[in-house]
Amino acid sequence: MAETLILGIESSCDETAAAVVAGGRRVLSNIIASQVDLHKKYGGVVPEIASRKHLEAVLPVIKEGLSAAGVTLADVDAIAVTHGPGLVGTLLVGLSAAKALAYATDKPLIGVNHLHGHIAANFLADEPPEFPLVCLVVSGGHTDLIYMTGHGQMELLGRTRDDAAGEAFDKAARSVGLGYPGGPQVERLAAFGDPEAVPLPQARTEAPYDFSFSGLKTAVLQYAQKKGPLADQQRADLAASFQRAVTGVLADKTLKAARAMGVRQVIMAGGVAANGALRRAMGETLAPHGIRLGFPPPVLCTDNAAMIAAAGHYLYEAGVRSNLDLNAIPALGLL
Ligand code: KG4
Ligand code: ZN
């Protein structure tokens, strides 16, 4: 029997993306039209501009996604689309396109939770992770530790009490004079800095698997203001010290959760999982305990549609189908 082909469509923030995934594993195409350059000068995503750009890009990106995969719409088994969480205006663009295509071709429509997509990106690998596992979700809006026994079967162990890890990276970036999006720029600058140079508060919380990053964010801002204007080396040192503080607490708490749940597999999901220092810290923390660490390649960590197609694949196999009245849910939760 031929492999199931899923067309994925993603438009929750500032990337218009379309991808075709075969058998839930093989990425046949992964087209991403980023709007980053457009929003840079505003220091963040401007929702109205984003919606308008998605509208221009969505059909060409879908067409390219299909042609790069060497398939036509008639070949796909289902159309999977992000319906939340995200910006309502941008979500509606991808969702409306997916509905129109599903209606016109009489193909099943499958609404996908964007966060489940980030997690599913881990299974687009030659050696997919094994359940049960603990997953650290670290994106622009989320920092969650979850226990998973199967696709879509998850239990929340802990989460951030205030800022998400990605948000903390973006705000720290601003404090050291870097623009949007902050995460990758902080990582590049931190490579030239000494992570021991600036004493910063460890982001501790009482609850064993919860996080808090707002104190750390404030400490970075206060240091920058007190010592400013910072020389290049001081900026790099501050970025490196901040990155060490964030990655350290993420790795420590993930290990604690993995040991408490008795799992031998940990995975990471979301934009911050692209961070090399976090990947190293997690690997070094987990390896001595015989716990395997998985993470997607960087391009599948940040927003893309291959992950939406992958999550859609598992829903398709489970018989899940959405109706054409499927709505965008900006605050859709992980569970
Ligand atoms: O998952 P994502 O692309 O979008 C959301 O669903 O939120 O995550 C975006 C977040 C941003 O805060 C961005 O600064 C952060 O991920 N990020 C990084 C890196 N690449 C993206 N943070 C640290 N290091 C990176 N290399
Ligand atoms: Zn995302």
Side-chain angles (χ1 to χ4, degrees):
M1 206 179 87
E3 281 180 310
T4 306
L5 284 185
I6 308 286
L7 168 67
I9 299 172
E10 153 68 35
S11 68
S12 68
C13 190
D14 59 347
E15 261 99 30
T16 321
V20 178
V21 167
R25 290 278 295 282
R26 283 194 310 121
V27 181
L28 301 189
S29 67
N30 188 26
I31 306 299
I32 305 169
S34 175
Q35 306 176 4
V36 162
D37 288 340
L38 204 67
H39 299 288
K40 234 178 213 163
K41 59 174 178 280
Y42 304 104
V45 178
V46 183
E48 283 77 10
I49 296 178
S51 303
R52 229 175 300 146
K53 274 287 144 187
H54 279 298
L55 207 50
E56 285 171 25
V58 70
L59 291 179
V61 164
I62 292 171
K63 265 189 195 156
E64 203 181 332
L66 291 166
S67 68
V71 302
T72 66
L73 204 48
D75 299 322
V76 308
D77 293 287
I79 300 168
V81 62
T82 305
H83 75 116
L87 300 167
V88 67
T90 66
L91 284 167
L92 282 170
V93 176
L95 190 53
S96 305
K99 282 185 193 179
L101 294 178
Y103 182 68
T105 58
D106 208 18
K107 303 274 180 187
L109 175 75
I110 301 174
V112 172
N113 181 319
H114 179 82
L115 298 164
H116 295 188
H118 274 302
I119 296 167
N122 281 278
F123 294 85
L124 293 168
D126 292 338
E127 282 182 53
E130 282 171 25
F131 295 110
L133 55 80
V134 162
C135 177
L136 173 68
V137 180
V138 271
S139 70
H142 278 258
T143 303
D144 301 303
L145 266 174
I146 56 179
Y147 173 67
M148 295 182 69
T149 51
H151 293 290
Q153 290 171 312
M154 46 184 96
E155 183 188 318
L156 186 69
L157 302 174
R159 61 188 166 82
T160 183
R161 296 291 182 93
D162 38 58
D163 294 349
E167 207 178 338
F169 265 95
D170 293 335
K171 288 176 179 166
R174 232 173 279 168
S175 297
V176 295
L178 297 171
Y180 167 86
Q185 296 194 54
V186 169
E187 180 175 9
R188 275 196 291 277
L189 182 61
F192 301 99
D194 171 8
E196 312 279 336
V198 183
L200 291 170
Q202 271 290 331
R204 297 285 162 206
T205 55
E206 286 295 314
Y209 313 126
D210 278 356
F211 302 97
S212 167
F213 295 112
S214 73
L216 183 60
K217 165 193 74 183
T218 307
V220 170
L221 180 63
Q222 285 175 345
Y223 182 90
Q225 285 174 341
K226 202 169 73 201
K227 302 269 178 176
L230 299 180
D232 284 352
Q233 190 57 51
Q234 281 177 307
R235 292 171 65 230
D237 287 346
L238 184 54
S241 302
F242 163 81
Q243 185 170 264
R244 166 70 63 85
V246 173
T247 56
V249 74
L250 289 172
D252 287 352
K253 294 213 166 185
T254 304
L255 171 65
K256 213 179 269 177
R259 295 192 70 191
M261 303 310 290
V263 301
R264 321 229 16 108
Q265 172 84 62
V266 163
I267 59 174
M268 293 201 284
V272 184
N275 184 280
L278 177 61
R279 291 165 178 243
R280 279 190 298 279
M282 291 277 286
E284 285 163 11
T285 305
L286 297 169
H289 298 272
I291 300 170
R292 273 210 313 158
L293 174 66
F295 44 72
V299 69
L300 296 180
C301 285
T302 47
D303 290 346
N304 66 86
M307 69 184 199
I308 302 303
H313 174 89
Y314 296 110
L315 293 170
Y316 179 81
E317 298 281 290
V320 176
R321 306 287 183 267
S322 301
N323 293 322
L324 287 174
D325 63 358
L326 179 70
N327 211 348
I329 309 177
L332 186 63
L334 177 70
L335 304 178

